[in-house]
Amino acid sequence: MTEPAQPAVDLRRLTDLCTPWCIHVAATLRIADHIACREDAGPVPVEDLAAAAGCDPRALHAVLGHLVGAGIFLEPEPGCFARNAAARELQAQSPFLDLNGIGGRMAGAWGTLLTYVRTGQPGYREAFGLPFWEDLAAHPTVAASFDALMGPSGHGEPSADVAIAGGWEAVRSVIDVGGGTGSFLAALLRAHPHLHGTLVDLPGTVARASDALRDPALAGRVAVCGQSFFDRLPPGADVYLLRKVLNDWPDAETVRILQSCAAAGGPDGRVVVTGGVVPDDAPRGLSIEMVLLGATHNTLAEFRNLAARAGLQVVGAGAQSSGPFVVECRIF
């Protein structure tokens, strides 16, 4: 049987590690920021950039020269560098790329992919000495950079809505389970002034709750609860929102989280999920959460079974116009 013609694949280019690591190094050293401080006077000599960044000028020149060839930065004259659009984007992506923070953990974790594929379990501990969440707890600066990545500086200003059946008008209270530093909850409450909300996340995370939660417009309508979502959740809310939470956990932990929400919500509560569930016809793919945490991304059919184990029934599912696939559950 003759194979259909396909475009040629350049394996050397696909497996090149030089470019991504040079990008990480330039972002970590804030080279684009150092150029921005000086560029009104023209391109900046590499010696000046090295002095500002505290690094070796010849080594930095080699990195920047490679990145110029990859379309990041400009070298208008030998040894002098300027920003271009790609370099400005490098500045915007710094929490994701900074090797001193969560970016370094994410980049290094890819070296454990073989362990994940062989065992189905994350190899994060072998690279960093502790499992992912314990590592964040032990290194506050890394945890803070993770929060930055999850919040507006990492993902842009959060959408004010997750579409739910009947809209939010009939909802009185929502608990954002694993809601990080609260940027999404604040946006949701601002968009729906009748809503009351509670942010639930680990104590160290909610201690860094965003200034948005102190918005006078939210006065009297928002509470913060520092705890694990595996523990008993605040009871009686109309909606328990799991936004970008289940995509971080294997199936056993997913069931436990759903059980916590079901127990707290009672017969009238709803559990609304975005992240970790995809349509049944969605192609399989690999994500950083799988490598970091051994997480599973379930099809809707697979998720129905997990929800049933937690005492929940899927009552609705679908993609909304902004993109996320939203699943709603109620107690049997």
Side-chain angles (χ1 to χ4, degrees):
M1 180 177 178
T2 304
E3 293 185 9
Q6 294 181 330
V9 174
D10 186 342
L11 287 178
R12 286 184 178 272
R13 182 178 180 184
L14 289 175
T15 56
D16 168 37
L17 297 181
C18 181
T19 300
W21 279 107
C22 284
I23 291 171
H24 277 286
V25 166
T28 302
L29 295 175
R30 302 291 192 269
I31 298 302
D33 297 278
H34 294 312
I35 292 175
C37 292
R38 294 272 308 272
E39 67 184 352
D40 287 347
V44 183
V46 70
E47 292 80 9
D48 293 352
L49 293 174
C55 62
D56 180 82
R58 292 184 67 184
L60 179 61
H61 198 165
V63 167
L64 293 181
H66 178 84
L67 290 178
V68 168
I72 306 171
F73 295 105
L74 301 171
E75 192 174 6
E77 51 191 89
C80 294
F81 294 90
R83 294 183 303 166
N84 56 6
R88 293 183 181 91
E89 178 64 15
L90 195 67
Q91 290 173 273
Q93 296 294 327
S94 60
F96 173 70
L97 297 170
D98 189 341
L99 292 172
N100 291 324
I102 193 63
R105 297 296 202 264
M106 293 168 70
W110 285 110
T112 70
L113 178 60
L114 183 59
T115 296
Y116 170 67
V117 174
R118 280 177 167 165
T119 68
Q121 301 297 315
Y124 189 94
R125 183 198 293 267
E126 72 187 44
F128 301 107
L130 291 168
F132 180 76
W133 299 113
E134 288 88 338
D135 184 42
L136 293 193
H139 297 92
T141 57
V142 177
S145 71
F146 176 76
D147 290 341
L149 182 63
M150 294 299 101
S153 63
H155 287 188
E157 183 62 27
S159 167
D161 267 320
V162 167
I164 61 173
W168 288 96
E169 289 70 26
V171 176
R172 298 163 302 165
S173 58
V174 56
I175 293 184
D176 193 357
V177 181
T181 55
S183 56
F184 178 82
L185 179 61
L188 184 65
L189 296 183
R190 284 194 295 268
H192 303 283
H194 70 286
L195 270 180
H196 287 69
T198 300
L199 172 67
V200 174
D201 214 308
L202 294 173
T205 298
V206 299
R208 296 186 292 272
S210 66
D211 290 339
L213 292 185
R214 292 183 282 275
D215 185 340
L218 307 184
R221 296 197 294 126
V222 63
V224 173
C225 185
Q227 64 164 82
S228 168
F229 44 57
F230 292 110
D231 297 333
R232 181 178 176 85
L233 294 170
D238 297 324
V239 170
Y240 288 78
L241 179 63
L242 293 166
R243 179 179 177 269
K244 299 183 179 179
V245 170
L246 298 187
N247 53 291
D248 286 343
W249 297 96
D251 287 349
E253 285 78 6
T254 290
V255 172
R256 288 179 58 200
I257 295 167
L258 293 172
Q259 286 172 332
S260 294
C261 293
D268 297 323
R270 282 189 275 176
V271 180
V272 177
V273 176
T274 71
V277 187
V278 298
D280 289 327
D281 59 355
R284 295 285 185 177
L286 182 65
S287 72
I288 187 60
E289 294 91 354
M290 296 176 181
V291 180
L292 290 174
L293 301 157
T296 52
H297 294 183
N298 290 288
T299 65
L300 181 59
E302 292 167 337
F303 180 76
R304 287 183 191 275
N305 293 329
L306 298 178
R309 288 166 54 188
L312 293 169
Q313 180 180 12
V314 174
V315 295
Q320 58 189 76
S321 58
S322 60
F325 189 69
V326 182
V327 182
E328 291 193 39
C329 305
R330 288 188 181 270
I331 292 179
F332 285 144

